[in-house]
Amino acid sequence: MLALSLAACGGSSSDSSEEANGSASNETTTVGPVKSVDLGPIEDQLAAEGKELFDVRCKTCHLLDGEHVGPALGDITERRDPAFIMNMILAPEEMVQNHPEARKLFSEYGVMMTNQNLSREEARALLEYFRQQAK
């Protein structure tokens, strides 16, 4: 999952200082390394990088349309806050342990999202791909 698979991250991005923008929900993200995400217009190149990551890292468990091992991700940006999505990608274990919505997903699907050890930049590329899919 999401392909929210998403965990301990490397990277040196300034995500933690970014502002939330365009969030689809009122989730307060206090769990995970990303507190907010500044979203501008969709960046096609970043979304293309996200698609490549999705195809290699996420497709085993997630589809864009329809449930598989985990929830469908094609409309994830309409259902979840950008910081929540990135934190599920970067730190799924921490999210399931400490975030009520992540615990609910774990309870519903019965499978812990695999930590793919992606960087913040890679998680941001996946988020951009999901944003592009929701258009």
Side-chain angles (χ1 to χ4, degrees):
M1 152 189 318
L2 257 143
L4 292 187
S5 17
L6 328 170
C9 58
S12 59
S13 133
S14 61
D15 290 337
S16 61
S17 65
E18 296 175 303
E19 297 284 319
N21 181 5
S23 101
S25 73
N26 293 322
E27 296 170 357
T28 300
T29 303
T30 57
V31 179
V34 178
K35 301 307 176 202
S36 64
V37 181
D38 186 18
L39 299 176
I42 293 175
E43 298 177 38
D44 291 337
Q45 179 59 40
L46 189 58
E49 294 170 22
K51 181 186 183 328
E52 290 180 24
L53 285 167
F54 181 81
D55 288 346
V56 173
R57 303 285 187 102
C58 309
K59 255 185 163 173
T60 301
C61 296
H62 296 277
L63 302 172
L64 291 176
D65 299 316
E67 294 184 1
H68 191 37
V69 175
L73 299 180
D75 64 346
I76 190 66
T77 59
E78 296 171 10
R79 295 183 280 120
R80 300 289 179 196
D81 179 270
F84 179 93
I85 294 168
M86 288 191 60
N87 285 325
M88 282 300 292
I89 294 168
L90 296 170
E93 302 92 346
E94 180 182 358
M95 289 292 283
V96 167
Q97 288 179 345
N98 300 308
H99 195 289
E101 288 301 315
R103 275 197 306 271
K104 185 176 170 186
L105 286 169
F106 177 68
S107 178
E108 182 176 343
Y109 290 92
V111 176
M112 172 68 88
M113 188 168 112
T114 301
N115 185 334
Q116 299 288 325
N117 295 312
L118 298 178
S119 69
R120 283 182 185 233
E121 291 78 13
E122 290 170 322
R124 182 64 181 86
L126 279 168
L127 174 62
E128 201 71 354
Y129 176 59
F130 297 142
R131 290 177 66 208
Q132 189 180 60
Q133 295 308 302
K135 290 194 314 184

